[in-house]
Amino acid sequence: MHIRGTTALVTGATGGLGQAIARALADQGARLVLTGRRVAELERVADATGGRVVAADLADPADVARLVAEAGEVDVLVANAALPANGALLDFTPEQVRRALAVNLEAPIALTHALVPGMAARGRGHVVHIGSLAGKVASGHSSLYNASKFGLRGFALGIREDLRGTGVGVSVVEPGMVRDAGMFADAGGVPPKGVRTVSPAQVAKAVLDAIAKDLAEVAVAPPELRFAATLGGAFPTFSSWLQRRMATDEMQRRMAEPNRAKR
């Protein structure tokens, strides 16, 4: 679908990736509805993109319902908001587990469920779920994050088939390790030797391409990481061995502490 003239709701708009996606959509002529929890930061992004602010906590179902009501008619949903949720599962409290699953999986499903009927009635629309390569291959110290992203990928690809022929497209965009902004960068992540990162601008471009070309799945990562993720999904035992050799699980363990406050 053409982006110009559409109304696009972007969740997690205060984060680095959310801001890059919002700017890219605004540059293409979309009218933005921006949501997140940090009002001052949301207003700064809105000033830069001409967007409208609806502050909401996606861990609260009542706030999700209010967001839908205040957003109004939406043509494009970019479900970008997510909590890091990395670290050993037993280090999480039950409430932290609930919040991670609510924000990373339940809220994107609820928003899709609420907004798609209007899109289908108008015969046009697109939903982009921001997943992760962690939704294709699991690693140590990431079980909760893996669970949410595996679930999001399955939901996006499944609902895409349900909506075939309605004029509503669904895509899942799966970044690898992103430099300069996002969870990996915010936690001071250092990629394993020989593994390259991607930029927030590359993720934003993938979102635009997914909408314009109605792509089912877009992995935003260098070839070596895309290959490793595909191989890991097919051969999890081999992937586990390879990740131990590359110290990927140790990298995830080190990233857990800086992200602890975001749970």
Side-chain angles (χ1 to χ4, degrees):
M1 66 179 292
H2 296 293
I3 295 172
R4 184 167 301 280
T6 61
T7 297
L9 170 60
V10 181
T11 72
T14 57
L17 283 184
Q19 292 184 36
I21 292 166
R23 287 194 299 269
L25 287 167
D27 288 345
Q28 292 294 309
R31 299 182 296 270
L32 300 181
V33 180
L34 306 170
T35 190
R37 289 182 296 166
R38 293 177 290 166
V39 175
E41 186 67 14
L42 272 178
E43 290 175 345
R44 189 185 70 78
V45 179
D47 287 343
T49 60
R52 177 164 61 93
V53 168
V54 181
D57 181 355
L58 297 186
D60 182 351
D63 253 18
V64 174
R66 180 179 57 79
L67 170 62
V68 170
E70 294 188 19
E73 190 174 289
V74 170
D75 305 300
V76 175
L77 166 64
V78 181
N80 165 72
L83 297 179
N86 55 352
L89 177 63
L90 299 185
D91 286 343
F92 285 74
T93 67
E95 173 60 16
Q96 288 169 343
V97 171
R98 186 200 69 79
R99 283 187 59 83
L101 294 177
V103 174
N104 293 14
L105 183 58
E106 293 173 14
I109 292 174
L111 289 170
T112 302
H113 183 260
L115 295 173
V116 155
M119 296 180 190
R122 296 187 295 273
R124 65 192 293 268
H126 204 95
V127 177
V128 180
H129 292 294
I130 305 300
S132 169
L133 290 188
K136 299 183 76 171
V137 60
S139 59
H141 297 278
S142 298
S143 60
L144 191 54
Y145 189 69
N146 286 144
S148 65
K149 294 302 183 180
F150 268 74
L152 192 64
R153 178 174 184 257
F155 172 73
L157 296 178
I159 193 68
R160 176 183 172 86
E161 293 306 307
D162 290 350
L163 294 172
R164 189 172 296 279
T166 66
V168 182
V170 181
S171 305
V172 56
V173 172
E174 301 162 339
M177 300 174 192
V178 183
R179 62 181 177 271
D180 302 329
M183 298 175 189
F184 181 77
D186 291 347
V190 178
K193 186 176 180 180
V195 176
R196 293 174 291 168
T197 59
V198 295
S199 69
Q202 286 175 281
V203 179
K205 182 180 183 303
V207 170
L208 299 183
D209 288 346
I211 297 168
K213 302 174 183 177
D214 190 21
L215 303 176
E217 185 173 22
V218 186
V220 191
E224 66 271 15
L225 196 54
R226 294 200 306 270
F227 174 75
T230 300
L231 192 66
F235 303 101
T237 301
F238 172 75
S239 174
S240 177
W241 172 83
L242 181 62
Q243 290 188 66
R244 288 196 299 273
R245 290 288 300 271
M246 297 176 67
T248 302
D249 56 346
E250 177 60 21
M251 176 192 73
Q252 294 287 356
R253 187 191 66 77
R254 290 197 304 269
M255 288 173 57
E257 190 56 38
N259 283 328
R260 186 179 293 273
K262 298 180 181 180
R263 295 177 180 175

